[in-house]
Coordinates of all heavy atoms in Angstrom, one line a residue:
N54 N -35.3 -5.0 47.5 CA -34.8 -3.9 46.8 C -35.0 -2.6 47.6 O -36.0 -2.4 48.3 CB -35.5 -3.7 45.4 CG -35.1 -4.9 44.5 OD1 -34.0 -5.4 44.6 ND2 -36.1 -5.3 43.6
P55 N -34.0 -1.7 47.5 CA -34.2 -0.4 48.2 C -35.4 0.3 47.8 O -35.8 0.5 46.6 CB -32.9 0.4 47.7 CG -32.0 -0.7 47.3 CD -32.8 -1.7 46.7
G56 N -36.1 0.8 48.9 CA -37.4 1.6 48.6 C -38.6 0.8 48.3 O -39.7 1.3 48.1
A57 N -38.4 -0.6 48.3 CA -39.6 -1.5 47.9 C -40.7 -1.3 48.9 O -41.9 -1.2 48.5 CB -39.1 -2.9 47.8
L58 N -40.4 -1.4 50.2 CA -41.5 -1.3 51.2 C -42.1 0.1 51.2 O -43.3 0.2 51.3 CB -40.9 -1.6 52.6 CG -40.5 -3.0 52.9 CD1 -40.1 -3.2 54.3 CD2 -41.8 -4.0 52.7
E59 N -41.3 1.1 51.0 CA -41.8 2.5 51.0 C -42.8 2.7 49.9 O -43.7 3.5 49.9 CB -40.7 3.5 51.0 CG -39.8 3.5 52.3 CD -38.8 2.3 52.4 OE1 -38.7 1.6 51.4 OE2 -38.3 2.2 53.4
G60 N -42.5 2.0 48.8 CA -43.4 2.1 47.6 C -44.7 1.5 47.7 O -45.6 1.7 46.9
L61 N -44.9 0.6 48.6 CA -46.2 -0.1 48.8 C -47.2 0.8 49.4 O -46.9 1.7 50.2 CB -46.0 -1.4 49.7 CG -45.1 -2.5 49.2 CD1 -44.8 -3.5 50.2 CD2 -45.8 -3.2 47.9
N62 N -48.4 0.6 49.1 CA -49.5 1.4 49.7 C -49.9 0.8 51.0 O -50.8 0.0 51.1 CB -50.7 1.4 48.7 CG -51.9 2.3 49.2 OD1 -51.7 3.0 50.2 ND2 -52.9 2.3 48.5
V63 N -49.1 1.1 52.0 CA -49.3 0.5 53.3 C -50.6 0.9 54.0 O -51.1 0.3 55.0 CB -48.1 0.9 54.3 CG1 -46.9 0.3 53.8 CG2 -48.0 2.4 54.5
S64 N -51.3 1.9 53.5 CA -52.6 2.4 54.1 C -53.7 1.5 53.6 O -54.8 1.6 54.1 CB -52.9 3.8 53.7 OG -53.0 4.0 52.3
D65 N -53.5 0.6 52.6 CA -54.5 -0.2 52.1 C -54.0 -1.7 52.0 O -53.9 -2.2 50.9 CB -55.0 0.2 50.7 CG -56.2 -0.4 50.2 OD1 -57.0 -1.0 51.1 OD2 -56.5 -0.5 49.1
P66 N -53.7 -2.2 53.1 CA -53.1 -3.6 53.2 C -54.2 -4.6 52.9 O -55.4 -4.3 52.9 CB -52.6 -3.7 54.6 CG -53.5 -2.9 55.4 CD -53.8 -1.7 54.5
P67 N -53.9 -5.9 52.7 CA -54.8 -6.9 52.5 C -55.6 -7.2 53.9 O -55.1 -6.9 54.9 CB -54.1 -8.2 52.1 CG -52.7 -7.9 52.6 CD -52.5 -6.4 52.6
L68 N -56.7 -7.9 53.7 CA -57.5 -8.2 54.9 C -56.7 -9.0 55.9 O -56.9 -8.9 57.2 CB -58.8 -8.9 54.5 CG -59.7 -9.5 55.6 CD1 -60.2 -8.4 56.5 CD2 -60.8 -10.3 55.0
S69 N -55.8 -9.8 55.4 CA -55.0 -10.7 56.3 C -54.2 -9.8 57.3 O -53.9 -10.3 58.4 CB -54.1 -11.6 55.5 OG -53.3 -10.8 54.6
K70 N -53.8 -8.6 56.8 CA -53.1 -7.8 57.7 C -53.9 -7.3 58.9 O -53.4 -7.2 60.0 CB -52.5 -6.6 56.9 CG -51.6 -5.6 57.8 CD -50.4 -6.3 58.3 CE -49.5 -5.3 59.0 NZ -48.3 -6.0 59.5
A71 N -55.2 -7.0 58.6 CA -56.1 -6.5 59.6 C -56.3 -7.6 60.6 O -56.4 -7.4 61.9 CB -57.4 -6.0 59.0
I72 N -56.5 -8.9 60.1 CA -56.7 -10.0 61.0 C -55.5 -10.3 61.8 O -55.6 -10.5 63.0 CB -57.0 -11.3 60.1 CG1 -58.4 -11.1 59.4 CG2 -57.0 -12.5 61.0 CD1 -58.7 -12.2 58.5
E73 N -54.3 -10.1 61.2 CA -53.1 -10.4 62.0 C -52.9 -9.4 63.1 O -52.6 -9.8 64.3 CB -51.9 -10.3 61.0 CG -50.5 -10.4 61.7 CD -49.4 -10.2 60.8 OE1 -49.6 -9.8 59.6 OE2 -48.2 -10.5 61.1
R74 N -53.2 -8.1 62.8 CA -53.0 -7.1 63.9 C -54.1 -7.3 65.0 O -53.8 -7.2 66.2 CB -53.2 -5.7 63.3 CG -52.0 -5.3 62.5 CD -51.9 -3.8 62.3 NE -51.7 -3.1 63.5 CZ -51.5 -1.8 63.6 NH1 -51.4 -1.1 62.4 NH2 -51.4 -1.1 64.7
Y75 N -55.3 -7.7 64.6 CA -56.3 -7.8 65.6 C -56.0 -9.0 66.5 O -56.1 -8.9 67.8 CB -57.6 -8.1 64.9 CG -58.9 -8.2 65.8 CD1 -59.4 -7.1 66.3 CD2 -59.4 -9.4 66.1 CE1 -60.6 -7.2 67.1 CE2 -60.6 -9.6 66.9 CZ -61.1 -8.4 67.4 OH -62.2 -8.5 68.2
T76 N -55.6 -10.1 66.0 CA -55.3 -11.3 66.8 C -54.1 -11.1 67.7 O -54.0 -11.5 68.8 CB -55.1 -12.5 66.0 OG1 -54.1 -12.3 64.9 CG2 -56.4 -12.9 65.3
E77 N -53.1 -10.4 67.1 CA -51.8 -10.2 67.9 C -52.0 -9.2 69.0 O -51.5 -9.3 70.1 CB -50.7 -9.7 66.9 CG -50.2 -10.8 66.0 CD -49.1 -10.3 65.1 OE1 -48.8 -9.0 65.1 OE2 -48.4 -11.1 64.4
E78 N -52.9 -8.2 68.8 CA -53.0 -7.0 69.8 C -54.1 -7.4 70.8 O -54.1 -6.8 71.8 CB -53.3 -5.8 69.0 CG -52.2 -5.3 68.2 CD -52.5 -4.0 67.4 OE1 -53.5 -3.3 67.8 OE2 -51.7 -3.7 66.5
A79 N -55.0 -8.3 70.5 CA -56.2 -8.5 71.3 C -56.5 -9.9 71.6 O -57.5 -10.2 72.1 CB -57.4 -7.8 70.7
E80 N -55.5 -10.8 71.4 CA -55.8 -12.3 71.6 C -56.3 -12.6 73.0 O -57.2 -13.4 73.3 CB -54.6 -13.1 71.2 CG -54.9 -14.6 71.4 CD -53.8 -15.5 70.7 OE1 -52.9 -15.0 70.1 OE2 -54.0 -16.7 70.8
K81 N -55.6 -11.9 74.0 CA -56.0 -12.2 75.4 C -57.5 -11.9 75.7 O -58.1 -12.6 76.4 CB -55.1 -11.5 76.4 CG -55.3 -11.8 77.9 CD -54.4 -11.0 78.8 CE -54.6 -11.3 80.2 NZ -53.8 -10.6 81.1
E82 N -57.9 -10.8 75.1 CA -59.3 -10.3 75.3 C -60.3 -11.1 74.5 O -61.4 -11.3 75.0 CB -59.3 -8.8 75.1 CG -58.7 -8.0 76.1 CD -57.1 -7.9 75.9 OE1 -56.7 -8.3 74.8 OE2 -56.4 -7.6 76.9
I83 N -59.9 -11.4 73.3 CA -60.9 -12.0 72.4 C -61.1 -13.5 72.6 O -62.1 -14.1 72.2 CB -60.6 -11.8 70.9 CG1 -59.3 -12.5 70.5 CG2 -60.6 -10.3 70.6 CD1 -59.0 -12.3 69.0
G84 N -60.1 -14.2 73.2 CA -60.1 -15.6 73.5 C -59.5 -16.4 72.4 O -59.4 -16.0 71.3
R85 N -59.1 -17.6 72.7 CA -58.4 -18.5 71.8 C -59.3 -18.9 70.7 O -58.9 -19.1 69.5 CB -57.9 -19.7 72.5 CG -56.8 -19.3 73.6 CD -56.4 -20.5 74.4 NE -56.0 -21.7 73.6 CZ -55.7 -22.9 74.1 NH1 -55.8 -23.1 75.4 NH2 -55.4 -23.9 73.3
T86 N -60.6 -19.2 71.0 CA -61.5 -19.7 69.9 C -61.7 -18.7 68.8 O -61.5 -19.0 67.6 CB -62.9 -20.1 70.5 OG1 -62.7 -21.1 71.5 CG2 -63.8 -20.6 69.4
R87 N -61.9 -17.5 69.2 CA -62.2 -16.4 68.1 C -60.8 -16.2 67.4 O -60.8 -16.0 66.1 CB -62.6 -15.1 68.7 CG -62.8 -14.0 67.7 CD -63.3 -12.7 68.3 NE -64.7 -12.8 68.6 CZ -65.5 -11.8 69.0 NH1 -64.9 -10.6 69.1 NH2 -66.7 -12.0 69.4
A88 N -59.7 -16.2 68.1 CA -58.5 -16.0 67.4 C -58.2 -17.1 66.4 O -57.7 -16.8 65.3 CB -57.4 -15.9 68.4
Q89 N -58.5 -18.3 66.7 CA -58.3 -19.4 65.8 C -59.2 -19.3 64.6 O -58.8 -19.6 63.5 CB -58.5 -20.8 66.5 CG -58.3 -22.0 65.6 CD -56.9 -22.0 65.1 OE1 -55.9 -21.8 65.8 NE2 -56.7 -22.2 63.8
V90 N -60.4 -18.9 64.8 CA -61.4 -18.8 63.7 C -60.8 -17.7 62.7 O -60.8 -17.8 61.5 CB -62.8 -18.4 64.2 CG1 -63.6 -17.9 63.0 CG2 -63.4 -19.6 64.8
L91 N -60.3 -16.6 63.3 CA -59.8 -15.5 62.5 C -58.6 -15.9 61.7 O -58.4 -15.5 60.5 CB -59.5 -14.3 63.3 CG -60.8 -13.6 63.9 CD1 -60.4 -12.5 64.9 CD2 -61.6 -13.0 62.8
R92 N -57.7 -16.7 62.3 CA -56.5 -17.2 61.6 C -57.0 -18.1 60.5 O -56.3 -18.2 59.4 CB -55.6 -17.9 62.5 CG -54.9 -16.9 63.6 CD -53.8 -17.7 64.3 NE -53.2 -16.8 65.3 CZ -53.5 -16.9 66.6 NH1 -54.3 -17.8 67.1 NH2 -52.9 -16.0 67.4
T93 N -58.0 -18.9 60.7 CA -58.5 -19.7 59.6 C -59.0 -18.9 58.4 O -58.8 -19.2 57.2 CB -59.7 -20.6 60.1 OG1 -59.1 -21.5 61.2 CG2 -60.2 -21.5 59.0
I94 N -59.8 -17.8 58.8 CA -60.3 -16.9 57.7 C -59.1 -16.3 56.9 O -59.2 -16.1 55.7 CB -61.1 -15.8 58.3 CG1 -62.4 -16.3 59.0 CG2 -61.5 -14.7 57.3 CD1 -63.2 -15.3 59.7
A95 N -58.0 -16.1 57.5 CA -56.8 -15.5 56.9 C -56.2 -16.5 55.8 O -55.4 -16.0 55.0 CB -55.8 -15.2 57.9
T96 N -56.7 -17.7 55.8 CA -56.1 -18.7 54.8 C -57.0 -18.7 53.6 O -56.7 -19.4 52.6 CB -56.0 -20.1 55.4 OG1 -57.4 -20.6 55.7 CG2 -55.2 -20.1 56.7
Y97 N -58.1 -18.0 53.6 CA -59.0 -18.0 52.4 C -58.7 -16.8 51.4 O -58.1 -15.8 51.9 CB -60.5 -17.9 52.9 CG -61.1 -19.2 53.4 CD1 -60.7 -19.6 54.7 CD2 -61.9 -20.0 52.6 CE1 -61.3 -20.8 55.2 CE2 -62.5 -21.1 53.0 CZ -62.1 -21.6 54.3 OH -62.7 -22.8 54.8
P98 N -59.0 -17.0 50.1 CA -58.7 -16.0 49.2 C -59.2 -14.5 49.5 O -58.5 -13.6 49.1 CB -59.5 -16.4 47.9 CG -59.5 -17.9 48.1 CD -59.7 -18.2 49.5
I99 N -60.3 -14.4 50.3 CA -60.8 -13.1 50.6 C -59.7 -12.3 51.4 O -59.6 -11.0 51.4 CB -62.1 -13.1 51.4 CG1 -62.7 -11.7 51.5 CG2 -61.9 -13.8 52.8 CD1 -64.0 -11.7 52.2
A100 N -58.9 -13.0 52.2 CA -57.8 -12.4 53.0 C -56.8 -11.7 52.1 O -56.0 -10.9 52.6 CB -57.2 -13.4 54.0
D101 N -56.6 -12.1 50.9 CA -55.6 -11.6 50.0 C -56.1 -10.2 49.4 O -55.2 -9.5 48.8 CB -55.3 -12.5 48.8 CG -54.7 -13.9 49.3 OD1 -54.2 -13.9 50.4 OD2 -54.9 -14.9 48.6
L102 N -57.3 -9.9 49.5 CA -57.9 -8.7 48.9 C -57.5 -7.4 49.6 O -57.5 -7.5 50.9 CB -59.4 -8.8 48.7 CG -60.0 -9.9 47.9 CD1 -61.5 -9.9 48.0 CD2 -59.4 -9.8 46.5
P103 N -57.1 -6.3 49.0 CA -56.9 -5.1 49.7 C -58.2 -4.6 50.5 O -59.3 -4.9 49.9 CB -56.5 -4.1 48.6 CG -56.0 -5.0 47.5 CD -56.8 -6.2 47.5
C104 N -58.0 -4.1 51.6 CA -59.1 -3.8 52.4 C -60.2 -2.9 51.7 O -61.4 -3.1 51.8 CB -58.7 -3.0 53.7 SG -57.8 -4.1 54.9
S105 N -59.7 -1.9 50.9 CA -60.6 -1.0 50.3 C -61.5 -1.6 49.2 O -62.5 -1.1 48.8 CB -59.9 0.2 49.7 OG -59.0 -0.2 48.6
T106 N -61.1 -2.8 48.7 CA -61.7 -3.4 47.6 C -62.8 -4.4 48.0 O -63.6 -4.9 47.1 CB -60.8 -4.1 46.6 OG1 -60.2 -5.2 47.3 CG2 -59.6 -3.1 46.2
I107 N -62.9 -4.7 49.3 CA -63.8 -5.8 49.7 C -65.2 -5.3 49.8 O -65.5 -4.3 50.4 CB -63.3 -6.3 51.1 CG1 -61.9 -7.0 51.0 CG2 -64.3 -7.4 51.6 CD1 -61.4 -7.5 52.3
K108 N -66.1 -5.9 49.0 CA -67.5 -5.6 48.9 C -68.3 -6.7 49.5 O -67.8 -7.7 49.8 CB -67.9 -5.3 47.5 CG -67.1 -4.3 46.8 CD -67.2 -2.9 47.4 CE -66.4 -1.8 46.7 NZ -66.4 -0.5 47.5
S109 N -69.6 -6.4 49.7 CA -70.5 -7.4 50.3 C -70.5 -8.7 49.5 O -70.6 -9.8 50.1 CB -71.9 -6.8 50.4 OG -72.4 -6.4 49.2
K110 N -70.4 -8.6 48.2 CA -70.4 -9.8 47.4 C -69.3 -10.7 47.6 O -69.3 -11.9 47.6 CB -70.5 -9.5 45.9 CG -69.3 -8.8 45.3 CD -69.4 -8.6 43.8 CE -68.1 -8.0 43.2 NZ -67.0 -9.0 43.4
D111 N -68.1 -10.1 47.9 CA -66.9 -10.9 48.3 C -67.1 -11.6 49.6 O -66.7 -12.7 49.8 CB -65.7 -9.9 48.4 CG -65.4 -9.2 47.1 OD1 -65.3 -9.9 46.1 OD2 -65.3 -8.0 47.2
I112 N -67.7 -10.9 50.5 CA -68.0 -11.5 51.9 C -69.0 -12.6 51.8 O -68.8 -13.7 52.3 CB -68.5 -10.5 52.9 CG1 -67.5 -9.3 53.0 CG2 -68.8 -11.1 54.3 CD1 -67.9 -8.1 53.8
I113 N -70.1 -12.4 50.9 CA -71.1 -13.5 50.7 C -70.4 -14.7 50.1 O -70.7 -15.9 50.5 CB -72.2 -12.9 49.9 CG1 -73.0 -11.8 50.8 CG2 -73.2 -14.0 49.5 CD1 -74.0 -11.1 49.9
E114 N -69.6 -14.5 49.1 CA -69.0 -15.6 48.4 C -68.1 -16.4 49.3 O -68.0 -17.6 49.3 CB -68.2 -15.1 47.2 CG -69.0 -14.6 46.0 CD -68.2 -14.0 44.9 OE1 -66.9 -13.9 45.1 OE2 -68.8 -13.5 43.9
F115 N -67.4 -15.7 50.2 CA -66.5 -16.3 51.3 C -67.4 -17.2 52.2 O -67.1 -18.4 52.5 CB -65.8 -15.3 52.1 CG -65.3 -15.8 53.4 CD1 -64.3 -16.8 53.5 CD2 -65.9 -15.3 54.6 CE1 -64.0 -17.2 54.8 CE2 -65.4 -15.8 55.8 CZ -64.5 -16.7 55.9
L116 N -68.6 -16.6 52.7 CA -69.4 -17.4 53.6 C -70.0 -18.6 52.9 O -70.1 -19.7 53.5 CB -70.5 -16.5 54.1 CG -70.1 -15.3 54.9 CD1 -71.3 -14.4 55.3 CD2 -69.4 -15.8 56.2
Q117 N -70.3 -18.5 51.6 CA -70.8 -19.6 50.8 C -69.8 -20.7 50.6 O -70.1 -21.9 50.5 CB -71.3 -19.1 49.5 CG -72.6 -18.3 49.5 CD -73.0 -17.8 48.2 OE1 -72.2 -17.3 47.4 NE2 -74.3 -17.9 47.9
S118 N -68.5 -20.3 50.7 CA -67.5 -21.3 50.5 C -67.2 -22.2 51.7 O -66.5 -23.2 51.6 CB -66.2 -20.7 50.1 OG -65.6 -19.9 51.1
L119 N -67.7 -21.7 52.9 CA -67.5 -22.4 54.1 C -68.3 -23.7 54.2 O -69.5 -23.7 53.8 CB -67.7 -21.5 55.3 CG -66.8 -20.3 55.4 CD1 -67.4 -19.4 56.6 CD2 -65.4 -20.7 55.7
S120 N -67.7 -24.7 54.8 CA -68.6 -25.9 55.0 C -69.1 -25.8 56.4 O -68.6 -25.0 57.2 CB -67.7 -27.2 54.9 OG -66.6 -27.1 55.8
G121 N -70.1 -26.6 56.7 CA -70.7 -26.5 58.1 C -72.1 -26.0 58.0 O -72.6 -25.5 57.0
Q122 N -72.8 -26.1 59.1 CA -74.2 -25.6 59.3 C -74.2 -24.1 59.3 O -73.3 -23.4 59.6 CB -74.8 -26.2 60.6 CG -74.9 -27.7 60.6 CD -75.8 -28.2 59.6 OE1 -76.9 -27.7 59.4 NE2 -75.4 -29.3 59.0
P123 N -75.4 -23.5 59.0 CA -75.5 -22.1 59.0 C -75.2 -21.4 60.3 O -74.7 -20.3 60.3 CB -77.1 -21.9 58.7 CG -77.4 -23.1 57.9 CD -76.6 -24.2 58.5
Q124 N -75.4 -22.1 61.4 CA -75.0 -21.6 62.7 C -73.5 -21.4 62.8 O -73.0 -20.4 63.3 CB -75.5 -22.5 63.8 CG -77.0 -22.6 64.0 CD -77.5 -23.7 63.2 OE1 -76.9 -24.2 62.2 NE2 -78.7 -24.2 63.6

Side-chain angles (χ1 to χ4, degrees):
N54 293 326
L58 286 184
E59 291 74 11
L61 294 170
N62 186 2
V63 294
S64 65
D65 192 20
L68 174 62
S69 59
K70 181 64 177 180
I72 293 174
E73 178 185 9
R74 288 199 64 171
Y75 185 77
T76 53
E77 288 180 353
E78 295 177 16
E80 180 166 358
K81 182 178 179 181
E82 288 77 20
I83 67 177
R85 292 173 57 187
T86 300
R87 177 179 290 189
Q89 183 56 51
V90 168
L91 290 172
R92 292 193 184 100
T93 300
I94 294 174
T96 67
Y97 281 78
I99 190 175
D101 299 335
L102 300 177
C104 289
S105 67
T106 68
I107 298 177
K108 303 298 180 183
S109 58
K110 68 178 183 64
D111 300 309
I112 300 169
I113 293 169
E114 288 174 358
F115 159 67
L116 296 175
Q117 288 176 318
S118 72
L119 295 172
S120 58
Q122 297 297 316
Q124 295 91 338

